[in-house]
Structures are given as C-alpha cells and as structure tokens.
Amino acid sequence: MKLELIATATFGLEAVVKREIEALGYKILRSEDAKITFLGDERAVVRSNLWLRTADRVQIKMAEFAALEFEDLFQQVKGIAWEEWIPADGKFIVNGSSVKSKLSSVPACQSVAEKAVVERLKECYGVDYFTKSGALYEIKITILKDRVTVTLDTTGPGLHKRGYRVENVEAPMKETLAAALVQLSFWKKDRLMVDPCCGSGTLLIEAALMGRNIAPGLNRHFTAEEWDAIPAKLWKEERKAAFEAIDYDTELQLYGVDINPRAIKAAIANAEEAGVDDCIQIRQGDAANIGTMDFGKKEGGVVVTNPPYGERIGDRKSIDRIYDAFCQFFREHPTWSLFMVTSDKTAEKKAFGRPADRRRKLFNGRLEVCYYQFHGQKPDRTGRTEK
C-alpha cells in the first residue's frame, strides 16, 4: 500500500536526510524543520529503518487536520483506520506535543486521542476490553498552530542506537550526528581520514560503516518488526540484501588518536562490536602533536573531529595547544582539509588561522554548535599542490 512516511531529523540536518532518502529511491513530498515527508510502502519502512544514517526515526503519517476543539480531535482520530495496523491484542500508547495551539494541554490531548482509538477498535473488534499484550504501537499526536499530525512510530529506540556502543566516554556524540558530519565533509572511502580527538570512536566507526557500505540498522531490532501489517519476509529480504551489499574489499585509511587511555579502550571495543576494527587504526596520543604523526606525510587528508568544548573543554591551555597545533599543521599541509564541530567561538581563527570556508549551525544534543569547514587545496595527479 502507498504510505506517507516521515523521517524526523535533528535541526540543521534536514538536507542530509533528504539526500539519503532520495538515494534510496523515494520521492520527497515535503521538507520542513526537523522532518522530511516522503512517499513509500511497507518495504520502504523496512529499508528506511535499515539504511538511514542521519535521521532520528521513521514514522507512518496516519492523518493531518485542523483541530480547535477536543471534539474535532476525537472525531478525526476516530476516523483513522487503526484496525489496518493495530490488532486486537496490540499494545498501543499515545504521546503528544502542542505548540502555539488552542488545544494546549498535552495530557488532555493524549487522553482524548487514546479514547478515540479505543472507540474505533471496540467497534471493529466487537470487544469492550483490550489486553494490550501484543506488539507495541506508539501513536504520536503533534499539534502545531492548531494543525494536528498523527503518526505511528516504526523505529522504537532512535536510529542512533546502532548497537555497537558497548563502551562510553564523557559527552559521547550521537551516531546520527557523527554520520552527518562525515557526509558533510570531503571524506570519501578512497581518502585518508583522521580524528585526533576520537573519544569513543564514533566518527571513525560511522565513516567505516559508510566506506564498507554497511547498513547502520543491520544489527538491531525495530518496533515494526513485530507488526502483522508489515510482512516478516520483507525484513528478511532486506536484511539479506543489506548483507550482500557489504563491501569487504575496499581498503580504508581511518586513524583515531586520543590522549585518554579510557577513550582508546572504548574506541577499540566499539569498533570491534561494529565489525570495523580491521579498517581503523586507533592509538593513544596528544592531538597537539598532530604535526609529528606519520599520516601527515600523505597528501589530501581530511580531519573530521569533535575537540573538547563546553562542559568537555577542561583546561583552556590544553585546548589552545590543540588549536595552535592544528593551525601549524594545516599551514604546512595545504592539501589537507579540516572539519571541526564545536561550540567554542574562538576555535575558528585559532584552529586554522583564518575564517572558515563554510559554517553550519547544528545541535549536539541541546547544545548549539557550529560545524567549521576549512577546505584544503587539491593535489594534482603527481601529488603536488595545485597553485
């Protein structure tokens, strides 16, 4: 059946998510703040959950309508064909949000919507009581400026929950944001990438998953896998296709460095869990010594990094040492590019010595950050720097 699907996204990453959806072959219907609406079917639910690297979750859009009174909300929600998705034993829950709307009480909206679903299913199944002992169905009622969007979540725990994070460090970056940072950089699988402040290895692991063409959701479970409305054979077929699509032959050049031995331990453990430890070289070291590291002898490298900042900044002198080292390294290696995310407003000139070629406002959790992009010169075919 034809479905309107919504891929939710962190603010600032909508264009990245849109490109991913288009790459999967689906038609974009609308691109709005924090969500991309596209056309698909049951198989699209499966493929989107398995393959989207930068989206937060995948939802089925059940309805959209205006509502100024609770009766409007009740009747419209009751009019949705819930029986096509939720069986008699389905465990359905309703969550909601309301912004700049007359129906401003979220608990009341949730209660009215849940009552509407119950009444609809009572009439369809001829029962007065629901055990809710079966699969989970999470219904979301989102009200913005008196316009209601009703969705059914297919993902469960957010898409950033890849399943490989077995060891953590302080202030870890979400996997979806890390994947977006790599996609927004100049890195391609035939180029060298370095993260000199690698922490638990998320940026490098996400790059390795891309380089090997490993579906990010391949080794996890999704809520919709338990639904009768999406045949189990679709999940089996798409997982099989994803396994067959893995590129084991490409040699990747991925290097991670961190001064913290706990971070090195975590990065190695996470890379092993993700199955990409064979293509990432991780070692302990000080980012301030980037100029003495052997990968600096190569041309056209890409540094993608999340240096300490905000609550993670620690000693100001230490971070300034890193900036000074970056500035000198990129001055001596003009074909290298730097892609750095930070909330530190002093970083731009200190880390590269000049204004960034591009900036992008993003959010790391609730913290507003900037993704500074410094583009290196292209080396010619002989390896010399083009003038």
Side-chain angles (χ1 to χ4, degrees):
M1 85 178 68
K2 287 188 177 180
L3 302 171
E4 276 195 46
L5 302 175
I6 294 175
T8 63
T10 300
F11 181 80
L13 297 183
E14 296 88 351
V16 184
V17 175
K18 179 182 176 183
R19 286 196 293 269
E20 284 198 85
I21 295 170
E22 289 174 331
L24 289 175
Y26 299 117
K27 181 181 178 181
I28 303 296
L29 300 178
R30 278 176 304 283
S31 179
E32 306 165 88
D33 285 349
K35 68 177 183 180
I36 309 297
T37 304
F38 61 105
L39 196 62
D41 54 13
E42 293 92 337
R43 190 178 293 274
V45 171
V46 179
R47 295 187 69 224
S48 299
N49 275 299
L50 286 175
W51 282 101
L52 290 181
R53 300 182 188 277
T54 59
D56 290 331
R57 57 183 61 252
V58 178
Q59 303 168 329
I60 298 170
K61 182 178 175 181
M62 304 298 294
E64 187 173 10
F65 52 85
L68 298 174
E69 306 292 341
F70 284 120
E71 183 63 19
D72 299 332
L73 179 63
F74 178 86
Q75 293 298 338
Q76 292 282 2
V77 173
K78 186 181 178 184
I80 298 171
W82 294 108
E83 67 279 3
E84 294 181 0
W85 294 96
I86 305 176
D89 67 344
K91 181 182 178 182
F92 55 92
I93 59 175
V94 179
N95 290 313
S97 65
S98 179
V99 178
K100 298 180 180 178
S101 300
K102 186 177 179 181
L103 298 178
S104 59
S105 172
V106 173
C109 291
Q110 292 175 173
S111 179
V112 169
E114 183 172 5
K115 182 178 179 182
V117 176
V118 168
E119 291 302 315
R120 172 83 185 204
L121 295 180
K122 277 184 177 180
E123 294 175 5
C124 292
Y125 295 123
V127 297
D128 292 322
Y129 174 75
F130 294 97
T131 62
K132 294 188 177 182
S133 59
L136 175 65
Y137 298 81
E138 184 175 351
I139 300 165
K140 180 73 180 290
I141 308 294
T142 304
I143 310 177
L144 176 61
K145 297 179 180 179
D146 299 320
R147 188 133 197 101
V148 182
T149 303
V150 183
T151 57
L152 189 59
D153 177 59
T154 71
T155 301
L159 289 174
H160 70 284
K161 298 283 189 179
R162 315 286 206 222
Y164 63 70
R165 196 189 291 276
V166 292
E167 295 282 349
N168 242 329
V169 293
E170 291 182 8
M173 176 182 289
K174 285 177 68 172
E175 294 85 336
T176 44
L177 176 58
L181 297 184
V182 175
Q183 289 190 32
L184 289 168
S185 76
F186 283 171
W187 183 78
K188 303 296 180 186
K189 64 181 182 180
D190 60 344
R191 296 189 71 170
L192 169 68
M193 173 178 154
V194 178
D195 182 357
C197 306
C198 71
S200 58
T202 311
L203 281 163
L204 296 163
I205 293 170
E206 290 299 320
L209 293 176
M210 292 180 208
R212 286 281 170 88
N213 198 38
I214 299 174
L218 191 55
N219 295 312
R220 58 158 289 177
H221 179 80
F222 301 95
T223 295
E225 288 189 63
E226 304 296 326
W227 298 357
D228 294 336
I230 300 182
K233 71 173 185 177
L234 295 184
W235 293 97
K236 184 176 181 180
E237 289 170 0
E238 291 302 323
R239 274 204 166 88
K240 180 181 178 183
F243 273 113
E244 292 174 348
I246 296 175
D247 176 7
Y248 291 106
D249 299 324
T250 299
E251 292 188 11
L252 302 178
Q253 304 175 76
L254 301 170
Y255 294 85
V257 178
D258 202 282
I259 198 170
N260 185 348
R262 284 184 56 250
I264 296 301
K265 178 184 176 183
I268 292 173
N270 293 338
E272 289 175 348
E273 186 68 20
V276 294
D277 54 301
D278 62 317
C279 53
I280 303 175
Q281 298 186 46
I282 300 172
R283 55 190 165 183
Q284 187 175 354
D286 188 345
N289 296 327
I290 187 172
T292 64
M293 298 176 187
D294 54 8
F295 48 70
K297 299 175 183 178
K298 300 183 180 181
E299 294 289 334
V302 178
V303 172
V304 185
T305 192
N306 173 37
Y309 60 83
E311 294 179 358
R312 301 171 60 245
I313 201 165
D315 180 11
R316 181 75 244 182
K317 290 184 179 180
S318 296
I319 192 65
D320 284 343
R321 284 179 59 246
I322 294 175
Y323 290 161
D324 289 344
F326 280 5
C327 191
Q328 181 176 348
F329 179 84
F330 290 104
R331 186 166 53 245
E332 296 174 353
H333 300 81
T335 64
W336 279 64
S337 299
L338 171 64
F339 297 84
M340 180 173 65
V341 63
T342 179
S343 66
D344 183 3
K345 299 186 184 302
T346 71
E348 186 171 10
K349 290 186 178 180
K350 286 188 175 182
F352 211 87
R354 65 172 174 81
D357 294 293
R358 292 193 67 184
R359 304 174 191 84
R360 195 183 194 104
K361 184 173 76 171
L362 298 171
F363 285 88
N364 189 2
R366 296 183 178 181
L367 182 65
E368 182 179 322
V369 295
C370 186
Y371 193 36
Y372 295 106
Q373 304 175 42
F374 300 92
H375 303 165
Q377 301 172 23
K378 292 183 179 179
D380 65 19
R381 292 182 179 179
T382 67
R384 296 189 301 269
T385 302
E386 292 182 350
K387 301 295 185 182

